[in-house]
Structures are given as structure tokens and as C-alpha cells.
Amino acid sequence: MHIAFDSREHGENLQEFQELVRSAGAEAVATVTGRMRVPEPKYFVGSGKAEAIRDAVAAEGAELVLFNHGLSPAQERNLERLLRCRVLDRTGLILDIFAQRARTHEGKLQVELAQLQHLSTRLVRGWTHLERQKGGIGLRGPGETQLETDRRLLGERIKQIHRRLARVRRQRNQGRRGRRRAELPTVSLVGYTNAGKSTLFNLLTGAGVFAEDQLFATLDPTLRRVELGEGRAAILADTVGFIRHLPHDLVAAFRSTLEETREADLLLHVVDAAGERREATVGAVNGVLAEIGAQDIPQLQVYNKIDLLPGFAPRIDRDAQGRPWRVWMSSRTGAGRDLLLAAIAECLPVERVRERLCLPPAAARLRARLYALGGVCAERVHDDGALEVEVDLARADWDALCKHEGLDTYRMEAPRLAAGAEAP
């Protein structure tokens, strides 16, 4: 069931809804569409459209009616009474897809948490016939209705899952601390679902993770090391895809997984360059990033699938300061891979070391290497021929010179260079 609304608040895309249905493994036997200004409180649709849906269910023998919109618990109950079959809204459909995709223990816990949180508002539907106090021998006691008991048990299970996910979060934090000690930056792939993130992940890392032309093919995050060239490397994280109006229960449940995105040094925002609604999907992804607190992390947009655009060649788009902000490429053919790696290396922050050194006259070769690296900020010659040099080097260059040239042995504790003493 798809309704076109004048208001963007309830508007959804029919093609995307059909992809969701296909990804869930359902077979659509009929599609009912319509147009409204605002939803009706009883059935979400008008009574005439509800009867049209009932006739379609009877004619096709449908067992399930899917709505491409969010329904209130009361609307779901009213529709099920009228249609005499199960009714599932957009949130329930996405939750079902997630339940099918979960593979790891953490992923299954997160999906269960989201399902229970969604179910807690709809619990009355299955227990209306038990909304009475328990009675009989051995059942008298707190005067608790069956519904209240079920809500209490549901709440206890939610608390138990939260405790388990807290342990997983601590383990993830330990892994992140280890990567920080190894001075490896983290690059997180984000983007609308089915934008090609997993295919790009496989292209850059050779990991062979599951990639399929369907929504939410990736659910559990995967991390791999990727070489950027010139001795630099990073950790690349493949994460779950986003979608318009992503259920809040899912965002809350997957918060520990999404922390990989929130703690990243750089976000690769993958966009389907051949998609008709690419600007809308970019806005939807940025909305979810703001919701999880990742809106301020630097982004590099990756316009993927240019192989579907005739005559389009890979390229890097730069801003007014010359920094890369968008790369056009194809993860399926590999075109533009080297351009993307170069852009990532350019966007990642480089830790720098600023020190004052005292080089003896015999260290002319070392002085020449410092100049070759562009690391000399200023220098002054002492009366004994020694050079007082102030250097600013990338951490990797500093560590390499310390290892092979003993650069750290020349550190100075003396006052800074005199004002105005500049390198020639």
C-alpha cells in the first residue's frame, strides 16, 4: 500500500518500497496506490481506500498487507480487523529485513532489541483477550494483569540485552584504543543502502564481504586494513546502509555499531551517481549522521557506479582551497580506485612533530634529508659550527629518521630560536 502525500513528512518513494519488499523475500501480488493530503486517524487511509484494499486481499488471497508508511498501533489493529490478515508498516518491514541479515551475535542482539522496543508499543494487540487479573489457585497475588506481566518481562529482556551490548561496546572501545596506539586512522564507509559500499570495500581491501544488489545487504560491520601508498595505511570500516526515515528503534539499537562511524577520522559518503534521487539520498544520510552525532566528521563524497553513466571518466573534484571533496569512480569496474586512495590519503589528518635539534657539523647529510622532506622551519649557526634547527615533520617521517638516523638524539632543551632567525 503506497500513498502519495503532498507533505514531505509522510512522503515515501514507491520504487524504494518495492525494493524493500523484494529484499524481505515477499512476493507482491497487488499494489494499491492513492493520493491524500494527510493520513486519516482510523485506517491511515480513507474508508473507501481501506475497502479497496480489503477487496484486493480477498481477490488475491493475500496473507500480509504492507504499508509504505509508519502506522500507529491503533491503525494496525483497525486494519487487521477490517482486512482479516496481518498488517505490517514500513518500520516493521525494515526490522524484518534486518532480522534476516543479522549474522553475528552482536547483530542479532541489536535486531532483537529494536524489535522488542517496537513491539512494546503494540503489545496490547496480541493480549486484549487476557486484559484481566490472574486468578485461581496459585495465581492470586500481586493483582497483575497478564498484559502487565508481559510488559514487565519484555522490559527485563530489554535491560538484559542492553547489558550484553554494553559489554560489546567495551570490547569495541578496546579495539579502537589499540588502533590509536598503532596510529592507524579509521575511515568509515557511509551511504544510502544499495549505493555500492560493500563492493567498494571489497575493491579497496580484497575482503570478499557479501555484496548484493539489494537493500541492507550489509548489516554487521567489517573492518580491514587498506594501504594508501607511501607507507601510509588506514582501517576501513564497512557499515550498515542508511535509508529515509530509518526507524528510531534501529538507530538506538545499532548505536554501538554506529560508533565506528562516530569515532572515524574520515567518512567516505558513497552515493549512487546513476540514481535518480541521489540528492535526496545524500540529505537522508546526512540526517542520520546528525542523529548519531557524526555530522562534524570530515566527509569525502564518492560518486559510485559511473560505469552506468555513458562516457563518464573518473575524476577528483576539489574545493576552493584545493582540497578533494568528491571522487567519481566505479567500484564494480575498479575505474578511479587509485584516485580515491590518493584523495583519502590527502584528506586524512597527518600527525606532526615539531622539535628543536642541535646538529653537529658532521650531520650535513641529515640536514639535507630534513630539507628534502620540507621539514626545516628555521635554523641558526652557533659559534662552534653546530646548527640549531627547528623542524616540523610528519610523524611517520620523524619515526623513520629516529630509527635509521638517530634523529631524536639531537633534541635540544635550550631556549627557542631567536626571533627573526629563518631558514635560508
Side-chain angles (χ1 to χ4, degrees):
M1 179 65 222
H2 173 79
I3 297 292
F5 285 95
D6 298 331
S7 169
R8 290 187 177 183
E9 180 181 357
H10 302 285
E12 301 293 354
N13 181 265
L14 177 58
Q15 182 181 356
E16 182 178 273
F17 178 50
Q18 293 169 339
E19 286 294 316
L20 283 171
V21 173
R22 183 177 68 88
S23 298
E27 179 185 354
V29 295
T31 302
V32 181
T33 61
R35 179 173 291 276
M36 297 175 63
R37 288 188 176 181
V38 292
E40 295 289 338
K42 185 174 183 180
Y43 294 126
F44 187 85
V45 295
S47 57
K49 185 63 69 175
E51 291 174 1
I53 299 173
R54 183 183 60 187
D55 294 341
V57 168
E60 301 291 343
E63 301 175 351
L64 174 68
V65 174
L66 298 171
F67 271 71
N68 190 23
H69 312 277
L71 299 177
S72 70
Q75 287 169 341
E76 280 192 11
R77 291 194 298 272
N78 293 336
L79 284 166
E80 287 185 346
R81 292 194 192 102
L82 176 69
L83 305 179
R84 297 184 180 276
C85 69
R86 282 190 63 215
V87 174
L88 204 61
D89 68 354
R90 179 183 172 90
T91 297
L93 177 60
I94 294 176
L95 285 172
D96 183 81
I97 296 173
F98 270 60
Q100 295 180 48
R101 300 285 189 270
R103 295 290 181 270
T104 65
H105 175 65
E106 179 189 8
K108 292 176 181 178
L109 282 177
Q110 290 170 324
V111 171
E112 183 183 357
L113 176 61
Q115 288 176 322
L116 292 178
Q117 290 172 333
H118 182 65
L119 177 64
S120 63
T121 62
R122 288 158 166 76
L123 198 59
V124 65
R125 178 176 59 187
W127 295 98
T128 50
H129 62 293
L130 292 175
E131 284 195 46
R132 61 179 185 270
Q133 288 190 356
K134 292 182 292 186
I137 297 174
L139 295 177
R140 300 183 182 92
E144 190 178 53
T145 67
Q146 178 64 47
L147 181 59
E148 289 169 344
T149 300
D150 203 70
R151 282 176 176 158
R152 176 171 52 80
L153 294 175
L154 193 68
E156 291 173 357
R157 176 60 179 165
I158 289 175
K159 291 179 181 178
Q160 183 183 39
I161 294 176
H162 275 299
R163 288 194 294 269
R164 291 185 179 181
L165 288 175
R167 289 197 293 269
V168 173
R169 190 176 297 113
R170 288 194 293 270
Q171 293 170 356
R172 285 191 177 277
N173 289 336
Q174 290 175 354
R176 277 192 288 270
R177 284 195 294 269
R179 294 196 293 273
R180 291 193 192 102
R181 285 195 296 270
E183 297 178 353
L184 284 175
T186 300
V187 179
S188 182
L189 288 170
V190 299
Y192 211 72
T193 182
N194 206 27
K197 295 184 299 300
S198 295
T199 305
L200 177 59
F201 184 83
N202 290 335
L203 175 68
L204 297 179
T205 66
V209 301
F210 179 69
E212 190 62 48
D213 184 19
Q214 59 185 18
L215 303 186
F216 301 116
T218 301
L219 184 56
D220 301 306
T222 307
L223 287 80
R224 292 289 187 276
R225 180 187 175 103
V226 59
E227 299 297 332
L228 302 177
E230 298 182 357
R232 298 184 64 188
I235 297 296
L236 189 64
D238 187 18
T239 58
V240 63
F242 299 155
I243 198 169
R244 293 181 71 241
H245 300 159
L246 190 67
H248 290 285
D249 292 336
L250 275 177
V251 174
F254 278 74
R255 192 164 295 277
S256 61
T257 297
L258 294 174
E259 282 177 0
E260 294 294 348
T261 298
R262 194 172 58 192
E263 299 294 330
D265 298 288
L266 177 68
L267 300 181
L268 291 189
H269 186 163
V270 184
V271 181
D272 183 355
E276 297 177 356
R277 301 171 54 252
R278 67 187 187 193
E279 298 304 325
T281 61
V282 169
V285 171
N286 287 332
V288 178
L289 290 175
E291 190 171 348
I292 64 175
Q295 70 274 14
D296 295 327
I297 297 176
Q299 277 193 31
L300 175 63
Q301 290 190 353
V302 182
Y303 271 47
N304 191 24
K305 303 186 182 181
I306 64 169
D307 52 297
L308 302 179
L309 301 174
F312 214 90
R315 74 168 191 260
I316 297 178
D317 292 342
R318 298 180 179 272
D319 60 17
Q321 287 73 41
R323 294 187 296 263
W325 71 278
R326 181 166 58 191
V327 179
W328 299 78
M329 65 165 298
S330 170
S331 56
R332 187 178 68 85
T333 66
R337 176 182 181 274
D338 293 340
L339 289 178
L340 176 60
L341 290 175
I344 293 173
E346 195 172 339
C347 290
L348 282 175
V350 178
E351 184 181 356
R352 305 195 68 82
V353 177
R354 194 175 183 93
E355 290 284 352
R356 284 171 295 115
L357 309 172
C358 184
L359 301 180
R365 187 172 66 90
L366 178 56
R367 175 179 177 271
R369 290 198 62 182
L370 291 173
Y371 269 100
L373 292 170
V376 178
C377 301
E379 70 175 13
R380 180 166 62 91
V381 181
H382 288 269
D383 295 338
D384 58 359
L387 288 173
E388 183 180 340
V389 184
E390 185 169 349
V391 298
D392 185 354
L393 294 168
R395 166 63 71 177
D397 292 333
W398 170 266
D399 291 341
L401 289 176
C402 287
K403 180 178 180 180
H404 300 293
E405 304 286 349
L407 187 64
D408 53 338
T409 62
Y410 298 114
R411 278 193 178 119
M412 286 185 62
E413 299 298 334
R416 285 186 171 275
L417 289 162
E422 298 292 338

